[in-house]
C-alpha cells in the first residue's frame, strides 16, 4: 500500500461566509431565534457545515524559517557566525546550539545569543574553522507555550567539497506526519476536561439555574445540588492543576535529558521563562478558585438563592481567568492580541457547552429529588445556551482556521488536518444526539410527558462520552504543529514519498523542494532475501508533465546499507513532475513505483 506525501499544490484558501453568517444571525434574532426549535436546528446545521473547515486552536511551535549559512550551503571560506531565524520568539534560557564536525565531535563555541531587536533570531559565534563539513544542532523552546523543537543546519567549507547533505537520516518521519507524544495529549486532555467542569458548571448555575428558580415557586431541595456544582468546580480545578504540573515536570525533564543538566536547574529555567510565569499565575488562580467556590457553597447554603450573587460572579470571573492563561500560551498569542482574544472566546464556548451538559446530566439523574422542577423551561434555556456556544465556536474558529490551515493541502496532507477531520466526525455524532433532544424530546418535556424526561439522560450520556473523546482529539490538535506551518516547513525540507511494494519498503526524499540543484535519496529495505549479497541498483526515471522534455533517468549510488543517493540539476523547472523509482536486483523482478508532485517556483521560498 502506498502513502503519498507530495509537495503542496497551489490550492485556494479556505474561505468562510462570515458576512452572510452575520446577516443571517441578525435576521434570526429579529424573528425570535430562541423561540423556535426548528430554527435552532437550522442554525446548528450551518454550524456543523462550517465546522468542517474549523480547527481547534493550536499551540506554538518554533520551527526554523531560514539560516545563514543556508542548510546544505558550501562556503569558500569559514563564516564568523551561524544565524537561525525561527517562526516564533524563543526562550533565551532554554536555547541550545552546538557545533559538530564531520566526525561527530563537538567544536567548542561561545553560548548562543538571542537577537535583542528580533527575538526570533539566534546567533552562534564560531571559532576559526578548517575546511570540512559541519553541523549546528539546535534545540529551542517557544516563548509562547514552551514547546520544544530541535534540528540541525549542515554546511561545508572549502573548494574541494562540492555538496553537503541536507536530508534527514533514514527512518525520520516527514514533518507533516509527526504525531504528538501520548503524555502531551493526556495532560492537555485533562486540562480541557477541567475547564469544562469548572467554568461550565458555574455558568449553568448563574445563567440557567438561578434565573429559573427565581421565576419558579419551587426552590426547595437545592442545597445538595449546589454542593454538587461546587464539587464539579473543585474537580475541574484539580484536573487543570494536574495537567499544568504534569506539563511543567515533562518539559523540565525533557530539557534536562537533552542538555545533561540537573532536573532542578532545568525546572528553575522553565519557571523563570515566560511560559513558566504564566503557569505559576494559573496555579495561583486555581487555588483562589477553589477557595471562592467553597465560599460560594457556604454563602448559598446560608442564604439560599437570594444572595451571594457577587460571590457567584466573582467565582465565574476567576474561572474565566484560569482559561485566559491557556489562551496566553496558545499559538494565537504569538500572532496578535486580538487573535488571542478570539482563542479565549473559543475556550469559553467549549467549556460552557460541555460543562453545561455535565451539570444537566447530574440534575436529570436527581430527577426524583427534583421532581417538581420546570423541566421544560430548563431544557429550553439550556438549548439556547448550547446553540449560542456552538455559533461562537464556529465564528471564532474562522479566524483560527485562516491562520492555522489556510489551504486544502494543509487539511488533507498533515497530521493536524487528519486530527481536525476526526474531530469533525465526533462533533457530527454529538450534533445528531443534540438534534434528537431538541426536536423530539424537549418539545415532549415542555408538554409535561414524564417518559421524555426519563429518556433525556441516555442521549446526554452519549453526548458527554463522545464529547470527552472529542476533547482528547482537541488535546492532540493543541499538541500538534499547525497544518500550514508544517506544510511550509516540509516544502523547505523537500519531497517525501513512502510505499511498501512486493516486500520492499521504499522511501524517496528530494531536497530542497525547489528547482535547481537537488539531493535525491532512496531509503530501501528489501525483505525478499535479506541474506543475499546480490547488489541492488536504484534508478530514478523522471519527466515533466506539461513540457515535452522527454523521459530521462539517472542512478543513485549506495551510501550505506539502507540509503542510495545522488546530487545534481535534474529538476530544473517548476510545475508538475512524475518520478518513477526502479529497484533492480538480479534474480528478482524489478520493483517500480511512481509519484507525481508539483515543484513550486523558487520565488516561493
Amino acid at each position: 500500500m502506498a502513502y503519498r506525501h507530495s509537495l503542496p499544490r497551489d490550492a485556494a484558501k479556505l474561505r468562510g461566509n462570515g458576512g452572510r453568517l452575520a446577516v443571517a444571525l441578525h435576521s434570526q434574532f429579529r424573528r425570535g431565534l430562541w423561540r423556535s426549535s426548528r430554527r435552532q436546528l437550522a442554525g446548528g446545521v450551518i454550524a456543523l457545515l462550517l465546522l468542517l473547515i474549523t480547527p481547534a486552536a493550536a499551540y506554538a511551535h518554533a520551527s526554523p524559517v531560514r539560516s545563514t549559512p543556508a542548510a546544505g550551503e558550501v562556503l569558500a571560506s569559514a563564516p564568523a557566525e551561524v544565524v537561525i531565524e525561527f517562526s516564533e520568539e524563543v526562550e533565551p534560557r532554554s536555547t541550545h546550539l552546538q557545533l559538530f564536525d564531520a566526525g561527530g565531535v563537538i567544536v567548542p563555541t561561545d553560548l548562543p545569543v538571542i537577537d535583542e531587536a528580533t527575538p526570533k533570531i539566534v546567533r552562534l559565534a564560531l571559532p576559526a574553522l578548517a575546511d570540512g563539513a559541519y553541523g549546528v544542532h539546535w534545540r529551542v523552546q517557544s516563548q509562547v507555550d514552551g514547546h520544544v523543537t530541535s534540528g540541525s543546519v549542515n554546511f561545508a567549507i572549502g573548494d574541494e567539497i562540492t555538496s553537503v547533505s541536507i536530508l534527514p537520516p533514514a527512518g525520520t518521519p516527514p514533518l507533516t506526519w509527526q504525531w504528538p507524544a501520548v503524555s502531551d495529549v493526556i495532560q492537555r486532555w485533562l486540562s480541557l476536561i477541567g475547564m469544562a467542569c469548572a467554568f461550565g458548571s458555574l455558568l449553568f448555575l448563574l445563567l440557567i439555574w438561578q434565573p429559573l428558580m427565581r421565576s419558579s415557586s419551587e426552590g426547595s431541595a437545592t442545597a445538595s445540588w449546589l454542593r454538587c456544582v461546587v464539587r464539579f468546580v473543585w474537580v475541574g480545578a484539580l484536573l487543570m492543576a494536574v495537567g499544568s504540573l504534569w506539563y511543567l515536570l515533562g518539559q523540565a525533564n525533557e530539557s534536562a535529558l537533552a542538555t545533561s543538566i540537573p532536573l532542578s536547574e532545568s525546572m528553575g529555567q522553565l519557571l523563570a521563562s515566560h511560559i513558566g510565569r504564566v503557569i505559576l499565575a494559573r496555579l495561583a488562580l486555581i487555588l483562589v478558585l477553589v477557595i471562592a467556590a467553597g465560599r460560594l457553597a457556604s454563602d448559598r447554603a446560608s442564604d439560599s438563592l437570594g444572595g451571594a450573587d457577587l460571590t457567584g460572579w466573582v467565582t465565574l470571573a476567576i474561572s474565566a481567568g484560569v482559561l485566559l492563561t491557556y489562551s496566553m500560551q496558545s499559538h494565537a498569542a504569538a500572532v496578535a492580541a486580538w487573535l488571542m482574544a478570539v482563542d479565549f472566546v473559543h475556550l469559553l464556548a467549549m467549556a460552557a457547552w460541555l460543562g453545561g451538559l455535565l451539570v444537566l446530566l447530574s440534575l436529570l439523574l436527581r430527577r426524583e429529588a427534583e421532581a417538581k422542577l420546570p423541566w421544560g423551561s430548563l431544557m429550553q434555556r439550556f438549548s439556547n445556551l448550547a446553540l449560542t456556544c456552538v455559533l461562537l465556536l464556529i465564528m471564532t474558529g474562522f479566524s483560527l482556521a485562516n491562520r492555522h490551515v489556510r489551504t486544502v493541502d494543509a487539511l488533507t496532507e498533515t497530521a493536524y488536518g487528519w486530527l481536525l477531520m476526526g474531530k469533525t466526525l465526533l462533533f457530527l455524532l454529538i450534533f445528531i444526539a443534540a438534534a434528537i433532544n431538541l426536536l423530539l424530546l424537549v418539545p415532549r418535556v415542555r408538554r409535561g410527558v414524564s417518559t421524555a424526561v426519563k429518556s433525556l439522560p441516555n442521549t446526554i450520556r452519549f453526548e458527554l462520552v463522545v464529547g470527552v473523546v472529542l476533547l482528547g482529539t482537541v488535546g492532540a490538535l493543541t499538541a500538534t504543529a499547525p497544518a500550514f506551518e508544517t506544510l511550509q516547513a516540509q516544502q523547505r525540507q523537500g519531497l517525501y514519498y513512502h510505499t511498501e511494494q512486493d516486500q520492499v519498503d521504499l522511501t524517496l526524499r528530494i531536497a530542497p523542494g525547489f528547482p535547481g540543484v537537488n539531493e535525491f535519496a532512496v531509503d530501501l529495505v528489501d525483505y525478499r532475501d535479506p541474506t543475499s549479497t546480490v547488489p541492488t541498483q536504484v534508478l530514478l526515471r523522471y519527466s515533466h508533465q506539461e513540457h515535452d522534455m522527454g523521459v530521462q533517468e539517472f542512478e543513485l549510488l549506495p551510501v550505506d546499507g539502507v540509503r542510495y543517493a545522488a546530487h545534481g540539476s535534474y529538476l530544473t523547472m517548476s510545475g508538475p513532475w512524475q518520478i518513477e523509482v526502479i529497484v533492480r536486483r538480479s534474480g528478482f523482478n524489478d520493483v517500480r513505483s511512481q509519484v507525481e508532485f508539483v515543484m513550486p517556483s523558487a520565488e516561493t521560498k
Side-chain angles (χ1 to χ4, degrees), residues 26-36 39:
H26 179 68
S27 175
Q28 291 288 354
F29 274 108
R30 293 182 61 185
R31 296 174 187 174
L33 170 66
W34 310 120
R35 298 188 183 93
S36 171
R39 290 173 184 171

Side-chain angles (χ1 to χ4, degrees), residues 212-483:
L212 191 65
M213 291 298 98
R214 283 178 171 169
S215 63
S216 172
S217 60
E218 302 295 339
S220 62
T222 60
S224 61
W225 182 77
L226 291 173
R227 289 193 294 270
C228 180
V229 170
V230 171
R231 284 195 290 271
F232 280 137
V233 176
W234 285 344
V235 169
L238 176 63
L239 291 175
M240 289 187 288
V242 168
S244 299
L245 292 172
W246 188 342
Y247 172 84
L248 284 174
L249 183 60
Q251 290 293 317
N253 184 62
E254 182 181 344
S255 178
L257 292 175
T259 57
S260 301
I261 62 175
L263 179 60
S264 57
E265 182 180 345
S266 176
M267 180 63 77
Q269 291 179 352
L270 180 58
L271 292 177
S273 67
H274 169 77
I275 185 58
R277 293 190 295 270
V278 170
I279 294 180
L280 287 177
R282 178 188 305 154
L283 293 172
L285 282 172
I286 289 174
L287 179 60
V288 175
L289 175 63
V290 170
I291 297 172
R295 178 64 183 271
L296 176 65
S298 175
D299 288 351
R300 290 189 179 277
S302 61
D303 199 23
S304 185
L305 292 168
D309 286 339
L310 181 60
T311 304
W313 287 104
V314 168
T315 307
L316 181 69
I318 295 170
S319 67
V322 176
L323 268 64
L324 179 60
T325 64
Y326 286 94
S327 290
M328 290 173 65
Q329 73 176 97
S330 70
H331 190 254
V335 179
W338 70 267
L339 197 60
M340 185 185 75
V342 170
D343 182 88
F344 179 48
V345 174
H346 200 82
L347 283 181
L348 292 177
M350 176 278 297
W353 182 23
L354 294 181
L357 276 176
L358 183 62
V359 177
L360 181 60
L361 179 62
S362 71
L363 269 177
L364 288 167
L365 295 178
R366 291 169 44 86
R367 62 183 179 274
E368 298 300 329
E370 309 285 359
K372 296 183 180 180
L373 283 176
W375 288 105
S377 298
L378 188 148
M379 290 302 303
Q380 189 61 47
R381 285 174 179 268
F382 179 74
S383 297
N384 296 340
L385 174 64
L387 181 59
T388 301
C389 291
V390 170
L391 294 177
L392 283 175
L393 285 169
I394 298 308
M395 290 186 287
T396 55
F398 273 129
S399 297
L400 299 171
N402 184 58
R403 174 68 188 181
H404 300 320
V405 179
R406 303 193 190 187
T407 68
V408 174
D409 284 324
L411 183 68
T412 60
E413 298 193 15
T414 63
Y416 184 96
W418 278 84
L419 286 170
L420 174 58
M421 289 187 283
K423 172 198 167 186
T424 304
L425 291 176
L426 291 171
F427 179 83
L428 176 61
L429 295 177
I430 299 179
F431 181 82
I432 292 172
I436 293 173
N437 286 337
L438 184 64
L439 291 182
L440 300 181
L441 296 181
V442 172
R444 296 178 64 199
V445 170
R446 298 189 69 180
R447 292 196 300 269
V449 180
S450 59
T451 55
V453 178
K454 295 180 181 180
S455 301
L456 278 172
N458 293 328
T459 56
I460 292 178
R461 279 194 190 98
F462 177 78
E463 288 183 63
L464 276 174
V465 169
V466 178
V468 169
V469 177
L470 185 146
L471 289 181
T473 306
V474 174
L477 274 169
T478 59
T480 305

Side-chain angles (χ1 to χ4, degrees), residues 39-61:
R39 290 173 184 171
Q40 289 178 4
L41 181 62
V45 170
I46 295 173
L48 175 61
L49 294 175
L50 296 178
L51 189 70
L52 292 173
I53 57 171
T54 305
Y59 287 80
H61 295 71

